[in-house]
Amino acid sequence: MAYHVAAAEWSGRNDPEDGDLARRMHHLANAADAPVALIGFCCDAGISRNKGHPGAAQGPAAIRMALSNLAASAQHRGFLDAGDVVVAEEDPAPGQKELGKHVAGLLANHKRVVILGGGHETAFGSWSGLRRAHPSARIGIVNIDAHLDLRTVGPAGASSGTPFWQIQDAEPESFTYAVLGVADEANTAALMERARDWSVDIVPDHHLQSSAEPGFHCIDRICSESDLVYLTIDLDVLPGSLAPGVSAPAARGVPLCVVEALIDRVMISGKLAVTDIVELCPPRDPAGLTARCAAYLARRLMQTGPTES
Ligand SMILES: [Mn+2]
């Protein structure tokens, strides 16, 4: 079973002596005509099925908490908090469907929907929502992730390892998918071969250690070939020393500032409609640093306006 719960009130620090320039993210919650909508996907089912560490269901609350006191910029025009979809069973599929329904509805009134996962099974719900809202658009998928997440849906069903297989299965002809930050050690030869067969663009983590530049060509290609872009960020692409609070921390990873530059490259296309941040596992994040990384990225993805062309 999956159900929707309304958002809680946002609160945080106030510095009234500094007037309008003291705006923090919590001040922008539920602003009128907000261009961005936020929704959480509280789900452990995908990661449990993929034999990972449970805890992702607590991700949305931890990211909101870390986000509330971050400084707002001039590019933040407010956001609607649309609450959470909660998955209360072992199968993520009903939740993915419910999430897709909400994302599609939010896209009617918002320029961008930012989804807080959940494991990477979130992606099938995010993508389904975008497809439902734009039935004939060419959708390009950019995944910043150590993993390809192209596992076959076998008898066990959908999991956090299968979302992009599911999307390819739904639309094999138009599957346009790039993965940046892929770790050799974390993907079997079988998955790499599937990616090659499906013409998936792969940029290895080794190429993204000192600059985002080696990823730009691939992002630009996806953006130019698509009407709308779905950007998904798996926090396990970050170095495990910075982001230990995920199911599968990376020993090498891609530095945070490189991930930010890749995000900016997608955003300047002006085509980013749906985006999600997945795999935060609060029980494995005692110092809250991984949640803080997630909040930095969410804050960046919630910018609209002059930074985009
Ligand atoms: Mn992933």
Side-chain angles (χ1 to χ4, degrees):
M1 179 182 100
Y3 56 92
H4 177 259
V5 291
E9 283 287 305
W10 283 70
S11 61
R13 180 176 170 150
N14 293 303
D15 311 296
E17 66 280 13
D18 289 327
D20 265 4
L21 293 176
R23 290 187 322 161
R24 297 173 187 269
M25 294 303 285
H26 71 87
H27 292 121
L28 305 181
N30 307 316
D33 300 322
V36 171
L38 205 65
I39 185 165
F41 188 60
C42 303
C43 180
D44 275 326
I47 288 180
S48 296
R49 272 193 178 171
N50 203 19
K51 306 181 181 74
H53 293 273
Q58 301 161 49
I63 300 175
R64 284 190 182 89
M65 182 81 84
L67 185 60
S68 59
N69 271 340
L70 297 186
S73 80
Q75 281 78 49
H76 288 107
R77 309 279 167 80
F79 63 92
L80 169 77
D81 187 350
D84 291 319
V85 169
V86 180
V87 179
E89 61 170 314
E90 286 175 17
D91 183 2
Q96 290 168 323
K97 199 168 172 186
E98 181 73 11
L99 177 62
K101 208 172 74 186
H102 284 277
V103 169
L106 292 167
L107 284 169
N109 295 311
H110 301 275
K111 178 183 164 66
R112 184 175 304 139
V113 178
V114 179
I115 300 120
L116 310 175
H120 223 152
E121 74 287 344
T122 304
F124 191 63
S126 303
W127 176 86
S128 300
L130 181 56
R131 173 49 80 216
R132 194 170 164 144
H134 296 279
S136 55
R138 293 175 303 165
I139 297 175
I141 306 166
V142 177
N143 181 17
I144 305 179
D145 194 343
H147 305 91
L148 298 166
D149 291 345
L150 285 171
R151 289 180 192 283
T152 308
V153 173
S159 78
S160 62
T162 66
F164 304 103
W165 183 94
Q166 292 173 267
I167 296 171
Q168 198 276 347
D169 187 54
E171 293 186 359
E173 300 306 319
S174 57
F175 188 56
T176 308
Y177 179 47
V179 196
L180 297 99
V182 172
D184 268 344
E185 300 85 352
N187 297 274
T188 62
L191 296 177
M192 292 298 230
E193 193 175 286
R194 184 166 304 144
R196 265 194 305 276
D197 288 348
W198 291 351
S199 304
V200 176
D201 248 347
I202 293 175
V203 182
D205 55 354
H206 277 286
H207 295 186
L208 296 167
Q209 291 305 304
S210 54
S211 160
E213 180 92 43
F216 287 172
H217 176 74
C218 153
I219 288 174
D220 293 349
R221 190 184 64 81
I222 294 262
C223 293
S224 69
E225 288 176 3
S226 311
D227 302 314
L228 295 169
V229 175
Y230 160 43
L231 170 63
T232 175
I233 300 160
D234 188 323
L235 294 164
D236 73 20
V237 76
L238 294 168
S241 52
L242 173 66
V246 293
S247 180
R252 184 183 317 107
V254 174
L256 180 60
C257 61
V258 172
V259 171
E260 290 173 325
L262 294 172
I263 290 173
D264 292 349
R265 190 72 174 191
V266 174
M267 288 178 74
I268 55 166
S269 73
K271 294 179 179 178
L272 181 61
V274 168
T275 181
D276 54 33
I277 298 170
V278 303
E279 298 272 331
L280 178 63
C281 183
R284 290 163 66 90
D285 190 32
L289 200 51
T290 319
R292 201 160 169 81
C293 290
Y296 275 29
L297 299 178
R299 175 188 180 276
R300 198 167 202 91
L301 291 161
M302 290 162 78
Q303 295 186 322
T304 54
T307 54
E308 295 181 297
S309 62

